[in-house]
Amino acid sequence: MAEIRQRKGKEPVRTAIVEELSTSEDEKPEPTPKQKPSTRERISDDESYSPWVDVLRVISFLVVASCALSYLVSGGETFTWNMKAPPKYMQLDWWKAQFRGPIYLTPSELAQYDGTDETKPIYLAINGTIYDVSSNRRTYGPGGSYRFFAGADAARSYITGCFAEDRTPDLRGVEEMYLPLDDPAVDSHWSAAELAALKRQERKEAKEKAHEALLHWVRFFENSPKYPKVGYVKKEKNWLDKEPRKKLCDVAAKGRKPRKIPGSEE
């Protein structure tokens, strides 16, 4: 029994050997290098290239850019540059005027541009500045609703509304259309000194209203893309002294109202 135990004790001890698999990146298989295209392949690719694809891309870009620019310039009116009133810098006549410089016309010369001669442009003047309104010949030409403005400096009529009667730049007394009418019964509520001071204030305010009324139309033509400025009216020195003072036209006179009694203002 002791031998048996001794023999068993002498038996070799079996151990399991586990081989560890290396996962090191250094032992990964190297990728196969790509072969460079041969000269023949490169020549074949160049021969198959067509420039028309790039041309089409450029044309497409220009079309899209043109539509976007047209929309921006026209203020959202059109994508195709089909504007009813293009900006001044896009009009040929405007550029011609820039290089030519302003023209100077006497009132009699200006009268020749009233639209009766279709070979000539239609000019109107306001406050001494001449504008070309040929783009709206239907309105400013013969038979048009604003034909009275053509061929003249009718600054006064822009204020009074008397187109036919006030075709003149003479603004003397035009502020009277904004003055209240005198009424002895009403005026008796003020002393003589108070009434005189009141009338001075009323006339001052009336002149300011007349000025603003004219300024509205001056700014209209200055800022209009349809009507380019072409020059100025040439007048004689002290021309106003030779003109008879105009009476307030009926339409403007009828708009005047009596002075209000103190405390009755609404």
Side-chain angles (χ1 to χ4, degrees), residues 12 16 49 83 105 127 129 132 140 168 171 187 198 212 226 229 249 252 260:
Y49 167 75
M83 289 175 276
L105 301 176
N127 209 30
T129 305
D132 187 343
Y140 291 97
T168 176
L171 302 180
D187 296 347
L198 178 61
E212 289 296 328
K226 295 175 62 177
K229 181 173 68 175
C249 65
K260 294 183 178 180

Side-chain angles (χ1 to χ4, degrees), residues 67-79 81 83 85-87 89-90:
C67 292
L69 186 60
S70 173
Y71 185 84
L72 180 64
V73 172
S74 65
E77 179 182 347
T78 177
F79 287 98
W81 299 100
M83 289 175 276
Y89 56 81
M90 293 182 60

Side-chain angles (χ1 to χ4, degrees), residues 117-177:
D117 186 349
E118 294 185 357
T119 63
K120 294 181 179 180
I122 301 178
Y123 292 161
L124 64 75
I126 179 170
N127 209 30
T129 305
I130 302 174
Y131 295 91
D132 187 343
V133 294
S134 304
S135 59
N136 199 355
R137 186 174 290 270
R138 183 176 180 181
T139 300
Y140 291 97
S145 55
Y146 289 164
R147 64 187 181 277
F148 301 104
F149 298 132
D153 186 342
R156 186 184 183 93
S157 65
Y158 287 95
I159 302 175
T160 63
C162 300
F163 299 157
E165 302 93 321
D166 286 344
R167 297 181 74 243
T168 176
D170 185 359
L171 302 180
R172 291 176 298 177
V174 72
E175 73 277 1
E176 293 177 3
M177 65 180 293

Side-chain angles (χ1 to χ4, degrees), residues 180-191:
L181 294 170
D182 292 329
D183 185 341
V186 175
D187 296 347
S188 62
H189 289 78
W190 292 273
S191 66

Side-chain angles (χ1 to χ4, degrees), residues 203-222:
R203 185 166 293 274
K204 178 183 177 182
E205 294 175 356
K207 287 183 177 181
E208 291 175 354
K209 290 180 180 179
H211 174 75
E212 289 296 328
L214 180 61
L215 186 61
H216 167 79
W217 290 107
V218 169
R219 288 173 175 168
F220 170 79
F221 285 104
E222 281 182 347

